[in-house]
Amino acid sequence: MAGTVTVPSASVPSTPLLKDELDIVIPTIRNLDFLEMWRPFFQPYHLIIVQDGDPAKTIRVPEGFDYELYNRNDINRILGPKASCISFKDSACRCFGYMVSKKKYVFTIDDDCFVAKDPSGKDINALEQHIKNLLSPSTPFFFNTLYDPYREGADFVRGYPFSLREGAKTAVSHGLWLNIPDYDAPTQMVKPRERNTRYVDAVMTVPKGTLFPMCGMNLAFDRELIGPAMYFGLMGDGQPIGRYDDMWAGWCMKVICDHLSLGVKTGLPYIWHSKASNPFVNLKKEYKGIFWQEEIIPFFQKATIPKECDTVQKCYLSLAEQVKAELGKVDPYFVKLADAMVTWIEAWDELNPSAAAVENGKAK
Amino acid sequence: MAGTVTVPSASVPSTPLLKDELDIVIPTIRNLDFLEMWRPFFQPYHLIIVQDGDPAKTIRVPEGFDYELYNRNDINRILGPKASCISFKDSACRCFGYMVSKKKYVFTIDDDCFVAKDPSGKDINALEQHIKNLLSPSTPFFFNTLYDPYREGADFVRGYPFSLREGAKTAVSHGLWLNIPDYDAPTQMVKPRERNTRYVDAVMTVPKGTLFPMCGMNLAFDRELIGPAMYFGLMGDGQPIGRYDDMWAGWCMKVICDHLSLGVKTGLPYIWHSKASNPFVNLKKEYKGIFWQEEIIPFFQKATIPKECDTVQKCYLSLAEQVKAELGKVDPYFVKLADAMVTWIEAWDELNPSAAAVENGKAK
């Protein structure tokens, strides 16, 4: 671990939510100047920076942030041979940060994401909204037409069964993006000028049994509830695809949340996504994924996890097995990915021994 | 049929959408002064007014609207013994209007619903938004995080399978309410002052396999695609419940839409719901439904329609059979309701012979 810095938080607003229970995970290859804009909101929290690419490079972190930083050498040293499950030269490497965090909650954000404004012109504290999302229940079992019934000024509408009004624990909060929308390369190419200007003032639960495209740009989750399912797969250097890391995690995570009756929310908060990535580079990274997703999504739509899987780890290992058996037929890449999924769980349990022990105790 | 009036529409904006293909169905017991506020938007369209309660009463309709009006005597005369399937002293009677319409589309609205304003202060043309919702596809098979991908300025996000981007035909558009939210009696009692002030600028598809509470206050649908499933059940006079008419239709309709791969949208447009109904009266109407829905919803969540049911009518009759067999055990009311569902289909086919013939031809 390189460069742990702790600073007093004198300049920071009072009582930030979950200050000692949440880590902010940032994958990056550049100086983190984008943090300046986030200072009022992020400074009270601990950052875990996962440096991608050349480990010899020095990443500048603005003064006053409390952080730990890991480069590839750190990852290799900490995980040994199991480091093979962590992607290189792809923002998928961020999931290493989830693994080394010791906190209950994680918020992850890309370094090209800035503070957005709400329609009244006020800066949006994205992290605060994620925390609100995570700390209030979800409603995966029945749809509420007035969106999140736990928000102020809202409730369950007529016809919503009373037995379901306690909701489910929320495992994941998926935030959105103003300005540059999260489009694939073909859509970027066809609509180079499209900007997302629509502020939709809603948080909603993705219903049970429904898959969605989870984007890793602006995402928070409860590590204790779902952490081991948040593996971002094998992408980038030496792999046949990129830009499917968060999608992969989202599909796996959602199937497991559905099995364990956990909730997933999407909607607020928005961040300001500043710059579209190069669509030609993206197309190269994506094109196999564009074919494969036509088979991957039906696979996940049909996947069922055996009843006896009562921990995220067991669910995830069951999924890994199914990936190997079913998607292995689509391409040998998925055999490698399934093996990496197993390695990921082994590494997770090694770095999180107490959680693993609790899980094992629970399983008996 | 009493009181058909046709007037020239000189004072009306040019080229209203689907002018000759859509009927507006309004159930009422009072003079329709609320139409004054809707005049700029509704006047080009034909209205079907279903007068509930005392048929001797005269309902005043503002000058200049083109309408036909049916009271209970008309319903009894037109349907004969089959009139038993149409509720009395309950807004469920509105579904008679769906049956006698000869148009492809229906919009139905309550007479305590007024024109709402969008956040910029502009009057919302609810009907126009419903038509836009119905004329663009739905996305029931996969969730799009940026909401309706067919709206201007939006699209499918990264990770959305290309094979699903044509979407499904939209059968139903469910609009929402500003001011008085559509709460059940217990929630009304607990939160007498709650008002919905949140304008959520979104239209979304209710995913396949997900049920939702459909409210009949502000609702549009494609009669050709789903009309026969829009039966509002037996409510009100002589029945043990009320205020579950639209819920019942919504559950049946959604199961059938899922079976036939049709889409259901919810969100925009908003109307201004002016006055909360009396929560004590509502509780009396609802209380059996509040118990029953705990069994009805799991029933509909599990209900499957046999593959060979390839028309809405066949699907609906299959559901009626299942209602009798399964929910009949909950209360004898559901046996009666199941019979009424069959009567409804018979009456529908009688009044819509060419559609029935098409359906029968298709079935061969």
Side-chain angles (χ1 to χ4, degrees):
Chain A
M1 186 187 336
T4 299
V5 176
T6 311
V7 294
S9 55
S11 64
V12 147
S14 60
T15 60
L17 285 165
L18 301 180
K19 182 188 151 344
D20 299 316
E21 293 174 76
L22 182 143
D23 283 334
I24 301 176
V25 172
I26 304 165
T28 193
I29 50 167
R30 57 177 80 96
N31 293 334
L32 292 178
D33 303 327
F34 91 112
L35 285 173
E36 281 302 347
M37 198 180 184
W38 288 105
R39 189 181 289 277
F41 305 131
F42 289 179
Q43 194 164 321
Y45 295 88
H46 181 69
L47 312 182
I48 297 178
I49 299 162
V50 184
Q51 176 179 348
D52 199 16
D54 183 4
K57 195 178 160 184
T58 300
I59 299 285
R60 207 186 66 83
V61 181
E63 281 286 299
F65 283 93
D66 168 34
Y67 69 95
E68 53 195 296
L69 184 150
Y70 299 91
N71 63 31
R72 191 68 207 185
N73 294 338
D74 299 315
I75 295 171
N76 289 340
R77 182 172 41 75
I78 291 166
L79 292 185
K82 295 195 181 77
S84 61
C85 73
I86 303 297
S87 299
F88 187 48
K89 294 196 178 164
D90 191 287
S91 71
C93 68
R94 78 173 82 210
C95 64
F96 178 76
Y98 310 160
M99 198 180 248
V100 295
S101 166
K102 295 285 167 274
K103 306 286 174 59
K104 183 166 162 55
Y105 300 97
V106 161
F107 169 51
T108 185
I109 184 168
D110 280 6
D111 61 8
D112 63 347
C113 292
F114 294 88
V115 177
K117 288 185 188 296
D118 71 17
S120 76
K122 210 182 134 210
D123 280 353
I124 298 168
N125 184 346
L127 180 50
E128 185 183 42
Q129 179 68 48
H130 276 300
I131 291 171
K132 283 181 185 170
N133 293 349
L134 289 171
L135 294 184
S136 62
S138 294
T139 54
F141 311 116
F142 199 72
F143 189 95
N144 194 50
T145 50
L146 287 184
Y147 310 98
D148 187 345
Y150 305 106
R151 270 184 95 184
E152 218 182 287
D155 212 313
F156 294 96
V157 298
R158 181 171 56 92
Y160 203 101
F162 280 84
S163 63
L164 295 178
R165 295 192 186 194
E166 284 198 8
K169 283 183 193 167
T170 302
V172 173
S173 167
H174 178 260
L176 301 175
W177 340 276
L178 289 172
N179 195 39
I180 306 288
D182 187 31
Y183 287 164
D184 48 63
T187 309
Q188 278 184 297
M189 286 171 166
V190 171
K191 294 178 151 184
R193 287 164 178 275
E194 189 147 294
R195 298 294 177 266
N196 186 23
T197 58
R198 183 176 291 129
Y199 181 94
V200 175
D201 186 14
V203 178
M204 49 180 313
T205 298
V206 184
K208 183 175 175 172
T210 298
L211 293 178
F212 77 110
M214 184 180 82
C215 170
M217 249 194 280
N218 171 24
L219 181 70
F221 59 92
D222 183 325
R223 271 184 89 246
E224 285 178 13
L225 287 179
I226 199 66
M230 280 292 185
Y231 176 46
F232 272 45
L234 291 177
M235 304 281 146
D237 197 47
Q239 308 300 341
I241 52 169
R243 285 171 59 82
Y244 274 88
D245 52 340
D246 42 7
M247 297 299 143
W248 184 258
W251 297 324
C252 294
M253 171 283 287
K254 187 58 168 54
V255 169
I256 293 174
C257 281
D258 285 350
H259 176 76
L260 297 175
S261 289
L262 298 171
V264 175
K265 290 182 178 178
T266 182
L268 302 184
Y270 286 94
I271 52 79
W272 180 267
H273 187 204
S274 65
K275 223 178 81 183
S277 44
N278 184 314
F280 301 95
V281 173
N282 289 347
L283 187 61
K284 198 178 156 192
K285 290 178 181 175
E286 282 173 15
Y287 79 97
K288 291 198 176 190
I290 286 172
F291 288 102
W292 289 344
Q293 73 187 356
E294 299 292 340
E295 311 211 37
I296 298 173
I297 287 166
F299 161 78
F300 279 109
Q301 283 173 333
K302 270 175 269 164
T304 52
I305 295 174
K307 252 193 195 154
E308 57 271 24
C309 296
D310 55 358
T311 68
V312 177
Q313 277 90 336
K314 286 183 204 168
C315 292
Y316 201 76
L317 292 173
S318 160
L319 265 188
E321 224 173 87
Q322 296 178 50
V323 166
K324 185 177 259 182
E326 296 301 320
L327 295 179
K329 295 177 221 159
V330 175
D331 194 277
Y333 165 72
F334 291 99
V335 175
K336 203 165 60 167
L337 177 55
D339 289 337
M341 291 168 75
V342 175
T343 305
W344 159 264
I345 293 294
E346 289 168 356
W348 182 282
D349 284 345
E350 210 172 284
L351 291 186
N352 295 273
S354 62
V358 168
E359 295 292 349
N360 289 333
K362 203 174 140 195
K364 270 169 207 161
Chain B
M1 188 183 337
T4 299
V5 176
T6 309
V7 296
S9 55
S11 64
V12 148
S14 60
T15 60
L17 285 165
L18 302 180
K19 184 187 150 343
D20 299 316
E21 293 174 75
L22 182 142
D23 282 336
I24 300 176
V25 173
I26 303 166
T28 193
I29 51 169
R30 57 177 80 96
N31 292 334
L32 291 178
D33 304 326
F34 91 111
L35 284 173
E36 281 303 346
M37 197 180 183
W38 287 106
R39 188 181 291 277
F41 305 131
F42 290 178
Q43 192 163 322
Y45 296 89
H46 181 69
L47 312 182
I48 298 178
I49 298 163
V50 184
Q51 176 178 349
D52 199 17
D54 182 5
K57 196 179 159 182
T58 301
I59 299 284
R60 206 187 67 84
V61 180
E63 283 284 300
F65 284 92
D66 167 35
Y67 69 95
E68 52 194 297
L69 184 150
Y70 300 92
N71 63 29
R72 191 68 208 184
N73 294 338
D74 299 314
I75 295 171
N76 289 340
R77 181 174 40 76
I78 291 166
L79 292 185
K82 295 196 182 77
S84 61
C85 74
I86 303 297
S87 299
F88 187 49
K89 295 196 178 165
D90 192 287
S91 71
C93 67
R94 76 175 82 212
C95 65
F96 178 76
Y98 310 160
M99 198 180 248
V100 294
S101 167
K102 295 283 166 275
K103 307 286 173 60
K104 183 166 162 56
Y105 300 97
V106 160
F107 170 51
T108 182
I109 184 169
D110 280 6
D111 63 7
D112 63 347
C113 292
F114 294 88
V115 177
K117 287 184 188 297
D118 72 16
S120 76
K122 209 181 136 211
D123 280 353
I124 298 168
N125 184 346
L127 179 50
E128 185 184 43
Q129 179 67 48
H130 276 300
I131 291 170
K132 283 182 185 172
N133 293 348
L134 289 171
L135 293 184
S136 62
S138 294
T139 54
F141 311 116
F142 199 72
F143 189 96
N144 195 48
T145 51
L146 286 185
Y147 310 99
D148 188 344
Y150 305 105
R151 271 185 94 185
E152 216 182 288
D155 211 312
F156 294 96
V157 299
R158 180 170 56 91
Y160 203 102
F162 281 84
S163 62
L164 296 178
R165 294 192 185 194
E166 285 199 7
K169 282 182 193 166
T170 302
V172 173
S173 168
H174 178 260
L176 300 175
W177 340 277
L178 289 172
N179 195 36
I180 305 289
D182 186 31
Y183 288 164
D184 48 61
T187 308
Q188 278 185 297
M189 287 172 166
V190 171
K191 294 177 150 184
R193 290 166 175 273
E194 189 146 294
R195 298 293 178 268
N196 186 24
T197 58
R198 183 176 291 129
Y199 181 93
V200 175
D201 185 14
V203 179
M204 49 180 314
T205 298
V206 184
K208 182 174 175 174
T210 297
L211 294 178
F212 77 110
M214 184 180 82
C215 170
M217 249 193 280
N218 171 24
L219 180 71
F221 59 92
D222 183 324
R223 270 185 89 245
E224 284 178 14
L225 287 179
I226 199 66
M230 281 291 185
Y231 176 46
F232 272 45
L234 291 177
M235 305 280 147
D237 197 48
Q239 308 301 340
I241 53 170
R243 284 172 60 82
Y244 273 88
D245 52 341
D246 42 5
M247 297 299 141
W248 184 260
W251 298 322
C252 294
M253 169 284 285
K254 187 58 169 54
V255 169
I256 293 173
C257 281
D258 286 350
H259 176 77
L260 297 175
S261 290
L262 298 171
V264 176
K265 289 182 179 180
T266 181
L268 301 184
Y270 285 94
I271 53 77
W272 180 266
H273 186 205
S274 65
K275 223 178 79 181
S277 44
N278 184 314
F280 300 96
V281 173
N282 289 347
L283 187 62
K284 197 178 157 191
K285 291 179 183 173
E286 281 173 16
Y287 78 97
K288 289 196 179 192
I290 285 174
F291 288 100
W292 288 343
Q293 73 186 357
E294 299 292 341
E295 310 211 37
I296 297 172
I297 287 166
F299 162 77
F300 279 108
Q301 283 174 332
K302 270 173 270 164
T304 52
I305 295 173
K307 252 191 197 158
E308 57 271 23
C309 295
D310 55 358
T311 67
V312 177
Q313 278 89 334
K314 287 185 205 167
C315 292
Y316 201 76
L317 292 173
S318 160
L319 264 188
E321 223 173 88
Q322 296 178 50
V323 165
K324 187 176 257 183
E326 297 299 321
L327 294 179
K329 295 177 222 159
V330 174
D331 194 278
Y333 165 72
F334 292 99
V335 175
K336 203 165 60 168
L337 178 54
D339 288 337
M341 291 167 75
V342 175
T343 306
W344 160 264
I345 292 294
E346 289 167 358
W348 183 283
D349 284 345
E350 209 172 284
L351 290 186
N352 295 274
S354 62
V358 168
E359 294 293 347
N360 289 335
K362 204 174 140 193
K364 267 168 208 163

